[in-house]
Amino acid sequence: MAKPAQGAKYRGSIHDFPGFDPNQDAEALYTAMKGFGSDKEAILDIITSRSNRQRQEICQSYKSLYGKDLIADLKYELTGKFERLIVGLMRPPAYCDAKEIKDAISGIGTDEKCLIEILASRTNEQMHQLVAAYKDAYERDLEADIIGDTSGHFQKMLVVLLQGTREEDDVVSEDLVQQDVQDLYEAGELKWGTDEAQFIYILGNRSKQHLRLVFDEYLKTTGKPIEASIRGELSGDFEKLMLAVVKCIRSTPEYFAERLFKAMKGLGTRDNTLIRIMVSRSELDMLDIREIFRTKYEKSLYSMIKNDTSGEYKKSLLKLCGGDDDAAGQFFPEAAQVAYQMWELSAVARVELKGTVRPANDFNPDADAKALRKAMKGLGTDEDTIIDIITHRSNAQRQQIRQTFKSHFGRDLMSDLKSEISGDLARLILGLMMPPAHYDAKQLKKAMEGAGTDEKALIEILATRTNAEIRAINEAYKEDYHKSLEDALSSDTSGHFRRILISLATGNREEGGENLDQAREDAQVAAEILEIADTPSGDKTSLETRFMTILCTRSYPHLRRVFQEFIKMTNYDVEHTIKKEMSGDVRDAFVAIVQSVKNKPLFFADKLYKSMKGAGTDEKTLTRIMVSRSEIDLLNIRREFIEKYDKSLHQAIETSGDFLKALLALCGGED
């Protein structure tokens, strides 16, 4: 078992059992398996409460006392997932990894995900122990078996990782960082094709500290994270492996938190993955994994395991988990730092926002107007031509086409389009033809029309637009509907929700940087209104007003600092706390603001995913986002979508016919 570095805090959930007696445990296990049936509760209680070193002593004592192999007896007495988990815990970590890899490459087919997870995440020392354990257990050379079962660049990178020769010096050369950034850029973005060897050499050999700086500089130099370049330049299992390496270099606990979440989300559980991670990380970094899991997924790892598994298998996993972060008193000082760093990353990652729709080269409004007229003239309509022209022109160019169409034919292009196309396609095409502020104004008007209000649409638009966009919407709303947006919101909403929307609709958010002293005061207000501060300092009505003012008027950089200070003060993430302590439209509005501050493209990626998951598609939300973000940040949204949901936006769009063609054209390609 790899030990923490000198002076480092132990971050495992399993510790040496105090008053340990291997002979007593061996006797208790023998008794639990003696006779008809077995006492599974006693077995799991002993094995999940002892460290791996102590389990090896129990194995030795068991053999000395009874002349039998404990693992063999456990295999005989137990079955299924519970057996796999308990037997995995009984093996030394390197032998457990060796068994997982042997299973991954045995028989027909290869479990590439298992190979990637183990070989991308292990330290040099763990890798050397793994190679030795594989040789001892199977009398075979691990490298030779990997080569025999894999191919291409995927194979080459696995072999490089298998050497366990990653540099470990924390002294980083700035010149070498710059050189590696340039080499990676030239090997991918600037090259026709990709020089995979450069990616393999740099990502497979440089120290973690060095590579973190390389990733930071790569973002500053190219305007995109290294992950985006890897997705654009590499493919298949090689791409997945390199992304796993990058994630582990950034944060190995975060990589495993993500793997655990994906193992349990949706229908069915990937039990092999769940078992492998819970066993392998229980004495290394399970507390860090738990903290990141809670911060990132707004639920504890404990609660997700509890809801997703059953029986002795569940009880054993929960003991390995070591505690429920959502339970009273289960707070770790380090959790603040983990969440703080996530907010820090959102503050420094100044990624250039990019749309998928750009101005067409050699734009000719005269030719486009004539082509559109021809597509709508006579019997039938040429939808393909309409889609092709309108989805490949910028909004400014579309306005020129409208003007040219009227000049040439004395007809209103919007009216003609309305009469020729219908349904979802009409909503999408007509939305693209409107100036953005007028489109948003129309969406807000529709959200407030008739019986009932579409609160989600109001929140989505008003919580995410810039000051300039909000002011343009106000003007458009007044021009189109002869009524102020504020009056419309006042008459259609009520209470705190109305106050939040009106505050957002003024477009008066500060645009400066952060103020640390003010941020600490603001964080204290947030802690008090969310009822987790120790000493309230004001009446609740006053605090509610101040909290609303903070979220609705402070600048994004300042709010990032507020949210960081909130975490330091309370050991909670502000978004998670709002969701737990508030309800209804007020909660949804505040959560949207926080998510927009942290990562606006991810906010829209989540909205798109929710509009398409489950039975049926919410075409209105899908259309609204695709239209409004196509020239702003749809490319960034695509990247966040694939990062979070393991599928491209292109793949996820589940519509049909001409509407599908138009959406895919706006999407701009498949990641």
Side-chain angles (χ1 to χ4, degrees), residues 529-530 544 547 551 577-584 586-588 590-591:
I529 193 63
L530 294 170
E544 286 172 345
F547 185 58
L551 287 187
T577 310
I578 289 170
K579 286 179 177 176
K580 287 184 72 172
E581 300 297 331
M582 294 186 164
S583 61
V586 170
R587 175 200 60 200
D588 294 344
F590 283 154
V591 166

Side-chain angles (χ1 to χ4, degrees), residues 491-622:
S491 61
D492 207 69
T493 58
S494 61
H496 288 302
F497 183 54
R498 174 170 61 196
R499 292 171 61 204
I500 294 166
L501 294 181
I502 289 175
S503 180
L504 292 172
T506 60
N508 285 323
R509 186 177 292 283
E510 297 163 2
E511 295 184 343
E514 65 183 56
N515 178 319
L516 184 55
D517 291 337
Q518 183 65 59
R520 286 172 180 154
E521 286 182 29
D522 291 346
Q524 181 66 31
V525 170
E528 290 171 12
I529 193 63
L530 294 170
E531 298 181 345
I532 54 177
D534 294 330
T535 52
S537 62
D539 69 274
K540 190 162 184 178
T541 303
S542 171
L543 284 171
E544 286 172 345
T545 301
R546 287 175 66 192
F547 185 58
M548 185 194 76
T549 300
I550 290 164
L551 287 187
C552 294
T553 67
R554 301 285 196 254
S555 71
Y556 274 25
H558 180 83
L559 283 174
R560 289 189 183 101
R561 179 60 64 186
V562 172
F563 300 154
Q564 288 169 325
E565 293 302 316
F566 181 90
I567 292 168
K568 288 170 69 177
M569 192 178 293
T570 67
N571 201 34
Y572 278 97
D573 180 69
V574 70
E575 179 186 341
H576 182 55
T577 310
I578 289 170
K579 286 179 177 176
K580 287 184 72 172
E581 300 297 331
M582 294 186 164
S583 61
D585 298 327
V586 170
R587 175 200 60 200
D588 294 344
F590 283 154
V591 166
I593 293 168
V594 173
Q595 290 176 337
S596 184
V597 169
K598 185 173 185 179
N599 187 335
K600 196 177 290 185
L602 179 58
F603 169 79
F604 283 112
D606 285 338
K607 292 280 288 181
L608 283 170
Y609 179 76
K610 288 170 184 171
S611 76
M612 294 182 284
K613 77 169 187 175
T617 299
D618 177 359
E619 288 86 358
K620 289 181 180 178
T621 299
L622 178 58

Side-chain angles (χ1 to χ4, degrees), residues 72 78 94 99 106 108 137 217 247 294 321 431 462 468 486 565 569 576 663:
L78 309 177
K99 175 70 164 63
S106 294
I108 299 171
E217 286 302 313
K247 286 176 182 176
R294 183 185 66 177
C321 191
L462 295 176
E486 181 178 334
E565 293 302 316
M569 192 178 293
H576 182 55
L663 286 172

